[in-house]
Every structure is written in structure tokens, then in C-alpha cells.
Amino acid sequence: MTGLHRPDLEFAQVGDRPGVLLATMGGRLGARLIDLLIVFVPSYFPIRVFVEGTLTHALILLVTIALYEAITTARTGTSPGKRLVRIKIVRIRTGAPPGWGMALLRAVIMALSGWVISAVVAFFDERRHRGLHDRVSGTVVIAG
């Protein structure tokens, strides 16, 4: 989806490094789908069998996905899905991985706002492709 954004705006200054290549929307979407499959496939059937109520199922899956996201990205900035598509999350001011606090905040904001809302915000942020969860946590998703 690189063609949807102006080529001269696909780079950002991250920390003291200018010209860091940003992750594409397609890369971010691909990583999200892979990570959702990693969480959803093994957890869906036990939740379905042992927990009653559709709303309860949805809440448990939402919490599980948020925890997965925070735990896998806190120290390295990558989850298995992000590693496969070669993107990572970094703090925009330092270029370091988000750390436990920011990773958890980012995951909670994404879970509460809904991934679709964050994706729409990122789609229209032509400068840095940052979703609502990235803006609040001070992160950016870069190629790498």
C-alpha cells in the first residue's frame, strides 16, 4: 500500500536518526493478521468450551490479544507477526523498543479504541502512519 502515501513522507526522524523508513500499511496489516491467528487459533476453542456467553468470549479474547501484544513487543519492539514482515515498534524520541509501560499502554489503547479506529487514524496520518495507540504511547512502527 506504499502507493497511497507520498514517497517523500515515508521516512521519519526517530531519536537522533533522520530518514528512518516507516512500515507500510500493508506490512502492519499483515503482521496484525499473523499475530491474531497466533492468538486466536489456540485460544478460541478452550474459551468456547469452558466459558459461557458471547460477550465473555469476546472480552477474554480481547484481553488475551492485548496481553500478547504487550508481552511480545515490550523488550524488542517485535511480535512473531512483526518479525515475519520485518517491522518493529520503537519510541519516536529515542528509537528504543517501547518498554513494558508503553507496550502495555499501546496494547490497552488499541484494545479499547478498536483496531479499526486506530487503523483509520494511521491511514490518514500520511506523515508517520501512526495510529491512535502509537500517538498516545509515543511510538512509531518502522521497517527493519
Side-chain angles (χ1 to χ4, degrees):
M1 296 190 63
T2 305
L4 295 176
H5 298 282
R6 291 179 19 203
D8 60 332
L9 296 177
E10 291 182 0
F11 297 89
Q13 180 161 344
V14 177
D16 58 355
R17 296 179 0 217
V20 175
L21 183 62
L22 296 172
T24 64
M25 297 297 279
R28 291 177 70 144
L29 177 62
R32 175 69 53 215
L33 291 175
I34 292 166
D35 287 333
L36 287 174
L37 282 173
I38 289 171
V39 173
F40 187 78
V41 170
S43 62
Y44 177 76
F45 294 108
I47 291 170
R48 189 81 173 151
V49 170
F50 297 111
V51 178
E52 292 188 31
T54 305
L55 181 59
T56 307
H57 294 163
L59 289 174
I60 291 172
L61 281 171
L62 192 63
V63 168
T64 304
I65 290 167
L67 287 174
Y68 168 85
E69 179 74 18
I71 290 167
T72 59
T73 61
R75 291 184 25 183
T76 63
T78 64
S79 63
K82 288 175 183 59
R83 274 192 292 279
L84 283 172
V85 299
R86 296 189 174 124
I87 63 176
K88 65 182 175 179
I89 303 165
V90 295
R91 292 182 186 202
I92 198 154
R93 289 187 180 169
T94 64
W100 291 103
M102 289 300 112
L104 186 59
L105 175 64
R106 185 178 187 277
V108 167
I109 296 295
M110 192 176 345
L112 291 177
S113 68
W115 182 73
V116 173
I117 292 171
S118 285
V120 169
V121 170
F123 182 77
F124 288 106
D125 181 8
E126 284 194 14
R127 208 162 155 259
R128 292 189 183 152
H129 311 271
R130 293 172 74 199
L132 180 62
H133 53 291
D134 287 317
R135 290 171 185 254
V136 172
S137 64
T139 59
V140 66
V141 184
I142 63 171

